[in-house]
Amino acid sequence: MQPIPIRTTVVGSYPFPGWLEFATQHLDQFGPADVEEMIDDAVVAAVHDQITAGLDVITDGEQTRLDFNLSFYGFIKGLQPNHSETRKFGPPAHDQRGKHSIVDELTAPKGLGAVREYQRLKKLAPAGPTLKASVPGPYTLSGRMLPNDRYKDRYAITEALLPFVSKELEELVAAGCTEITVDEPSMSCYAYREDTRRFVEIFNRTVAPVVGKGRLSTHLCFGNFKGRPVGYRSIKPMLPDFLDLTVDEVHIEMANREFAEIELLAEFAQVMDVAVGIIDVKNYYIETVADVEERIRRCLQYVPAEKLAVAPDCGLSQTARWAARQKLINMVAGARKVREQLAVMA
């Protein structure tokens, strides 16, 4: 059971400072020590914004990841970028994300980099909030890799990646991380057409080594590359099978879907805590504190306060920093107001 009712949390990513985006386009002008300083400074900025907002749970903002998936590909041997497979012009969408050909056996001799990210966060964050690490699950991680004769389909690639993710989770726990999100948005995006029992079995095998060793959650959404969804945006195809995911908490995108199917949160709440996306990261309307209060009260009709957390729909990396900052400030303020009201009523 989570210790704080209506806990305020985030999925993982946070906008890069403008100077970091500029610097990443001119890395040849920086030395290794300069790059390390730059990364530390970016994490400090992300932490500062989250601490200022007053979040109960914070991350490093994924400031070392230039893409949710593709940054991990740099740690995996046997891959080669395949630029011929991506659309070059026109409206931004998922088919413009980088793809990779598999040219050799897939290995990850130095892990996936999440442990070092967590260690940096632990060094730079102040005492108080819970520190969370986020790692993509193997099915989602496989999404930009092209099958070949050795790995004949996405599931074969997923099976090759699964041990890498499991090992990373074990090493995060060993490094002292007490809260981990295993992001599997591809599972929620494609639940309408794939075998959901197979998804659950893959997920549960991935997390098995760390079950009971910390707070484990998963993030389910419908895509957010360039602020655009990609999947069939319905929770219903996930049920009832996703109720068997071995997690303490499930995070579900709701705000961008105008809280459609909110009643289905009750089914999740019967078996796990529920983090509800009440902040729309695809919209530049800044939710007011009153908006947040009203949305939380709607959620409380289906999820008890002691099992409810609130968060943005997805990571904030695709939202301008000025908007992300104010959205978080208002989210926390609204959550605190409802929390205080419940305490008075108790």
Side-chain angles (χ1 to χ4, degrees):
M1 195 71 67
Q2 66 183 46
I4 304 172
I6 316 178
R7 198 171 67 141
T8 54
T9 184
V10 285
V11 174
S13 68
Y14 193 73
F16 291 164
W19 54 262
L20 180 61
E21 289 199 25
F22 178 84
T24 58
Q25 298 170 20
H26 301 85
L27 285 177
D28 58 323
Q29 299 179 39
F30 295 87
D34 301 317
V35 172
E36 282 301 306
E37 179 181 284
M38 183 166 57
I39 292 171
D40 279 2
D41 289 349
V43 172
V44 167
V47 167
H48 171 270
D49 285 3
Q50 294 173 84
I51 293 293
T52 301
L55 286 162
D56 299 312
V57 182
I58 68 170
T59 71
D60 71 341
E62 299 179 3
Q63 296 295 292
T64 62
R65 304 181 192 180
L66 301 184
D67 179 275
F68 165 65
N69 261 8
L70 300 183
S71 287
F72 288 93
Y73 288 15
F75 292 93
I76 299 173
K77 304 298 182 184
L79 292 175
Q80 181 175 294
N82 187 328
H83 300 296
S84 67
E85 294 285 341
T86 54
R87 180 169 58 89
K88 305 298 188 295
F89 302 102
H94 288 69
D95 59 345
Q96 292 182 324
R97 292 186 65 206
K99 295 186 179 181
H100 281 63
S101 295
I102 301 173
V103 296
D104 203 347
E105 179 184 5
L106 297 175
T107 61
K110 296 183 179 180
L112 298 175
V115 175
R116 188 178 180 193
E117 290 176 340
Y118 174 73
Q119 290 169 335
R120 180 184 289 110
L121 173 62
K122 189 162 62 171
K123 177 185 73 174
L124 297 174
T130 298
L131 308 182
K132 180 166 76 171
S134 297
V135 181
Y139 184 74
T140 294
L141 192 58
S142 70
R144 313 310 299 172
M145 300 182 191
L146 301 171
N148 64 2
D149 291 340
R150 184 170 192 163
Y151 305 98
K152 296 188 180 299
D153 59 23
R154 183 167 183 176
Y155 285 105
I157 299 171
T158 297
E159 290 297 334
L161 299 175
L162 193 154
F164 309 163
V165 178
S166 290
K167 184 179 179 183
E168 198 75 8
L169 299 179
E170 288 185 277
E171 293 186 354
L172 277 167
V173 170
C177 186
T178 60
E179 182 150 351
I180 302 172
T181 293
V182 179
D183 293 320
E184 276 289 11
S186 290
M187 288 188 176
S188 43
C189 283
Y190 304 122
Y192 75 97
R193 73 181 192 196
E194 298 289 336
D195 182 347
T196 50
R197 290 305 309 169
R198 189 174 189 180
F199 278 164
V200 170
E201 191 271 337
I202 288 169
F203 184 93
N204 288 348
R205 276 194 291 122
T206 302
V207 303
V210 296
V211 171
K213 298 180 180 179
R215 184 170 180 80
L216 189 62
S217 62
T218 190
H219 168 55
L220 305 174
C221 75
F222 303 99
N224 189 37
F225 179 69
K226 302 298 184 183
R228 293 172 183 256
V230 68
Y232 176 60
R233 300 195 305 159
S234 175
I235 298 171
K236 192 172 182 180
M238 307 178 206
L239 295 170
D241 291 340
F242 277 33
L243 300 178
D244 292 329
L245 292 170
T246 308
V247 291
D248 300 296
E249 178 181 271
V250 62
H251 177 280
I252 300 175
E253 175 184 354
M254 290 296 292
N256 185 250
R257 300 169 53 251
E258 306 298 335
F259 289 81
E261 304 176 306
I262 188 173
E263 69 280 358
L264 297 181
L265 296 180
E267 296 191 40
F268 286 99
Q270 290 178 12
V271 293
M272 60 189 71
D273 294 339
V274 182
V276 181
I278 64 166
I279 297 297
D280 187 350
V281 302
K282 301 179 179 74
N283 192 336
Y284 278 85
Y285 168 73
I286 305 298
E287 293 84 354
T288 67
V289 175
D291 290 333
V292 172
E293 290 182 75
E294 187 273 332
R295 293 174 185 186
I296 291 174
R297 291 193 190 96
R298 289 174 65 186
C299 293
L300 288 171
Q301 297 176 50
Y302 305 98
V303 184
E306 65 273 14
K307 302 196 76 172
L308 177 65
V310 294
D313 273 339
C314 299
L316 286 158
S317 65
Q318 306 297 296
T319 309
R321 189 177 172 196
W322 62 265
R325 185 188 297 117
Q326 193 60 52
K327 282 172 176 278
L328 287 182
I329 289 170
N330 290 0
M331 183 186 81
V332 172
R336 285 178 174 170
K337 281 196 170 186
V338 178
R339 199 185 294 169
E340 292 166 0
Q341 292 161 7
L342 292 176
V344 171
M345 295 167 58

